[in-house]
Amino acid sequence: MKTVLELPLLPLRDVVVYPQVVIPLFVGREKSIQAIEAAMDADKAIVLVAQKNPADDDPELSAVYEVGTLANILQMLRLPDGTVKVLVEGKQRVVIEEGRLEEGYWQVKATEFAAADMAEPESEVLRRVVLETFKVLSQHHKKIPAEFSASIEEFKSLERLVDAIAAQLPIKLEQKQEILATESLTKRVEELLGLMDTELELIKVEQRVRGRVKKQ
């Protein structure tokens, strides 16, 4: 039986937070600040989920995606302009089942995703393929941080490797959400490899165009 969690919800405008990823968030909306405060008053656990429309200032529960990430708030800092900076660490995928407005913020019931499982030999083969593809991409893509590329070998778990790379890839929010919401680890790997291959093709096309312009 799946564990049901009841936690405050923090809707995110333009970011998808993955498990095992630590990321700073800047929060200005009153409801969102109240959700953070409620989490801080309890055990610092909160559900992070991307909005379907980043421009929506006051999203209803139907305006956020169904799959989000259970996270822990590591640090909270109130800034002079009234906004709040929080450092969060993603823990695991969750499915939002239902919610209610409570003192201005959304309190939701969420169930944990089943743990991704894969036989060890297949997992190691796929890990190497993902690693090699990312190394090639990172050599040509300026938006991927060099320090992240240098530390990529440290990820021994295939699932963690996929999540870490997906978090760094300069792809659309919808594509990041698709990877987060895919339950099968094999399919998650396939989606990530497809996105990296597409990025590599775009880089090749750009290089060919630049080459022709230089010749002209």
Side-chain angles (χ1 to χ4, degrees), residues 167-183:
Q168 292 292 338
L169 277 189
I171 53 179
K172 293 178 182 175
L173 181 91
E174 292 83 358
Q175 293 170 317
K176 286 180 182 279
Q177 179 64 32
E178 184 66 30
I179 291 176
L180 181 77
T182 300
E183 197 157 352

Side-chain angles (χ1 to χ4, degrees), residues 127 131 150-157 160-161:
R127 194 184 79 86
L131 208 51
S151 66
I152 197 68
E153 294 276 3
E154 295 173 12
F155 298 100
K156 301 304 179 187
S157 155
R160 189 170 181 196
L161 178 68

Side-chain angles (χ1 to χ4, degrees), residues 7-17 25-36 46-54 56-65 67-69 86 96 101 104-108 173:
L7 295 167
L9 178 78
L10 179 60
L12 304 175
R13 285 185 192 273
D14 52 7
V15 64
V16 173
V17 177
L25 301 172
F26 292 88
V27 180
R29 292 180 289 190
E30 190 57 37
K31 277 186 180 179
S32 297
I33 292 173
Q34 287 172 340
I36 291 167
I46 195 164
V47 175
L48 309 175
V49 67
Q51 295 179 200
K52 295 172 184 175
N53 176 11
D56 191 347
D57 268 336
D58 189 14
E60 295 292 323
L61 205 56
S62 58
V64 300
Y65 287 102
V67 177
T69 303
V86 286
I96 297 164
L101 272 176
Y105 64 90
W106 284 100
Q107 182 85 356
V108 296
L173 181 91

Side-chain angles (χ1 to χ4, degrees), residues 108-173:
V108 296
K109 286 185 178 179
T111 54
E112 302 168 342
F113 250 45
D117 197 19
M118 187 184 291
E120 188 60 40
E122 183 186 0
S123 173
E124 183 55 29
V125 169
L126 287 175
R127 194 184 79 86
R128 289 178 188 173
V129 172
V130 169
L131 208 51
E132 291 306 315
T133 307
F134 177 77
K135 282 180 179 176
V136 174
L137 178 61
S138 63
Q139 287 167 5
H140 301 283
H141 215 303
K142 295 174 184 175
K143 290 184 179 179
I144 297 173
E147 60 272 17
F148 176 75
S149 301
S151 66
I152 197 68
E153 294 276 3
E154 295 173 12
F155 298 100
K156 301 304 179 187
S157 155
L158 174 62
E159 184 169 22
R160 189 170 181 196
L161 178 68
V162 169
D163 286 344
I165 291 175
Q168 292 292 338
L169 277 189
I171 53 179
K172 293 178 182 175
L173 181 91

